[in-house]
Each structure stands twice: as C-alpha cells, then as structure tokens.
Amino acid sequence: MKHEQWKLFLAPYHQAVEELKVKLRGIRAQYELHHTHSPIEFVTGRVKPVASILDKAKRKGIPLDKIEEGLQDIAGIRMMCQFVDDIKAVVDMLKSRTDLEVVEERDYITSKKESGYRSYHVVVKYPLQTVNGEKKILVEIQIRTLSMNFWATIEHSLNYKYSGNIPEEIKVRLKRAAEAAYSLDEEMSQIKGEVQEAQVIFSRKTE
Ligand code: 0O2
C-alpha cells in the first residue's frame, strides 16, 4: 500500500480513537462533578504506526487484505485506574454502553503473561458514522492500574531497545519489578477507602 492508501485506510481508526477518547474522558469528568471517586484516572489513545501494523501482520501470518478483522488493535485505547477493583467497574461500564459492543475479553490480571505483564483487554466494535454510512471499527481497550501501566511502559521501551530480546539479567529484574508493582496494587487496595475519602475532601477544597 502506498502512503496515500494507508492514510485513507487509517482515517476511520483515527476518527474512532478521537471519539472514544472524548467519550471515555467524559466519564471521569462526570465523577469529578459529583465529587465521587472516579474509577478512571486518565485515558490515552493511539493508532498503531504502519511499520508496527506490518510487523504484527507478518508475525501473526495475517495477509494485508485481512488486517481489518485480523488485527484487533490498529485502534487502541488505554484506561488507567487507581485501584485493581476499579478495572472491573470500568469493564462493566463499557459492557453497559449502547454506543459500542464488547466482542472479546482477555484477562491478563488473573493470569498474567510470562513477561510479568498484567492488564485487562477488551475488544470492542465501535460503529463509526462516516459519509458513506456506518462502519464498525475494532478497537482494543486496555484497562490497567497506574502501577501496571508504569511497568508495561518501561518493559515496552526495553523490548523496543533490545528488539524483543531483553537480556536475561534485565528480564529477571523486570519480573521482580512486576511483583513489586503487584504488591503496590495490593497495599493500595487495603487503604482504598482512606485514599478515596481523602481525594473527595481534596477535590472539594480545590474547587
Ligand atoms: P503496541 O506497541 O503496544 O501496540 P500478541 O501481540 O500476539 O501477544 P494479541 O493477540 O494482539 O497479542 O492481543 P493482546 O495480547 O490482547 O494485545 C497485545 C498488546 O498488549 C500489545 O500490543 C501490548 O500493547 C500489550 N502487551 C501484551 N503483552 C505485553 C507485554 O508482555 N509487555 C508489554 N509492555 N505490553 C504487552 P503490541 O502490538 O505488542 O504493541
């Protein structure tokens, strides 16, 4: 595909990511307005770069004319939460929405990946309104705590640096760091009530 063809192909993905970022950030704004704990801390989104799409399609043996169905994360959203319990609340919230349909779930929290990666992945079909009618776009939403996100971001950049072959010594440290991130989530869960009360008081004070 030439540059212009990729641009046309990716345009609806960009549109879907932008719309979902606005919608999902709006949930946090609603909680803030009511001074109640928001299960969502912040939301980011991206469209996979062409080079990464080509790499992943090759790695998974997906022909280019099948990437629309075969690659579920061309459009990607990340929703960060403070507490592990918030993740379930976010997933339930997504399932109850009428503007998207959850089609797949991958729970890498109850069963973490070999690398130490933890996150909850939900694949949704998002109906996008285009000038040529409705087009359903697959979007992968990754829901994780701040601590899981910290770990995943660091590990992702190391993976990039070492082209997927992280030296054994660093791998061991990363596994230890993953355990530390897990402990942090556990500890924070224990004082969740305290933290939430403090945040509500603080949000009223700063208004
Ligand atoms: P990027 O740069 O984040 O877009 P597969 O890639 O085959 O393992 P699949 O079937 O596409 O997985 O779906 P999955 O596992 O739900 O989603 C893969 C995405 O999850 C990755 O996208 C990462 O964003 C994240 N992820 C999965 N495993 C790890 C991990 O061990 N470490 C980190 N840091 N992230 C992980 P991409 O395409 O790899 O990259």
Side-chain angles (χ1 to χ4, degrees):
M1 266 202 273
K2 296 215 176 72
H3 175 72
E4 201 51 37
Q5 283 170 299
W6 273 114
K7 211 171 135 185
L8 279 177
F9 173 74
L10 293 176
Y13 291 94
H14 280 284
Q15 180 72 25
V17 166
E18 289 312 306
E19 288 184 14
L20 281 169
K21 277 197 295 188
V22 170
K23 289 182 174 194
L24 300 172
R25 283 173 180 159
I27 303 175
R28 181 182 163 84
Q30 288 177 50
Y31 278 103
E32 275 181 340
L33 209 58
H34 294 99
H35 297 290
T36 38
H37 167 73
S38 165
I40 301 162
E41 187 64 7
F42 67 94
V43 178
T44 63
R46 62 98 185 97
V47 172
K48 215 177 184 56
V50 173
S52 307
I53 294 178
L54 291 172
D55 273 359
K56 193 159 182 172
K58 197 172 164 198
R59 180 160 55 82
K60 297 195 135 195
I62 302 166
L64 271 192
D65 59 345
K66 294 277 183 312
I67 53 173
E68 225 164 311
E69 315 92 68
L71 280 193
Q72 298 176 318
D73 67 341
I74 295 177
I77 292 280
R78 267 185 201 144
M79 301 176 76
M80 267 54 74
C81 309
Q82 287 187 338
F83 302 100
V84 180
D85 286 353
D86 293 336
I87 296 174
K88 187 170 182 310
V90 171
V91 174
D92 289 346
M93 207 184 288
L94 289 173
K95 284 183 181 164
S96 71
R97 290 186 75 103
T98 53
D99 59 346
L100 50 81
E101 186 198 347
V102 173
V103 291
E104 252 182 78
E105 286 173 67
R106 282 189 279 277
D107 180 358
Y108 299 127
I109 293 177
T110 14
S111 36
K112 65 170 194 268
K113 282 202 164 184
E114 169 61 25
S115 59
Y117 177 77
R118 289 188 309 138
S119 197
Y120 200 100
H121 295 189
V122 167
V123 179
V124 304
K125 255 189 200 155
Y126 179 68
L128 188 75
Q129 305 303 313
T130 78
V131 285
N132 300 315
E134 185 178 282
K135 183 176 168 59
K136 289 212 164 89
I137 303 284
L138 283 180
V139 182
E140 185 181 80
I141 306 182
Q142 301 181 342
I143 307 138
R144 37 170 92 151
T145 62
L146 296 169
S147 152
M148 293 173 194
N149 188 51
F150 178 43
W151 184 91
T153 307
I154 301 277
E155 198 260 1
H156 192 270
S157 38
L158 284 169
N159 241 320
Y160 187 77
K161 177 180 173 188
Y162 291 107
S163 314
N165 296 309
I166 301 179
E168 205 48 44
E169 186 198 321
I170 299 180
K171 261 193 194 161
V172 171
R173 284 199 187 276
L174 277 171
K175 285 203 175 159
R176 252 188 265 158
E179 278 160 32
Y182 179 80
S183 301
L184 179 59
D185 276 336
E186 291 270 284
E187 286 298 327
M188 287 301 183
S189 291
Q190 300 297 320
I191 51 164
K192 184 178 169 183
E194 280 288 324
V195 178
Q196 286 176 356
E197 265 176 46
Q199 286 171 344
V200 168
I201 296 167
F202 190 69
S203 83
R204 286 216 169 91
K205 198 176 155 220
T206 51
E207 203 171 53

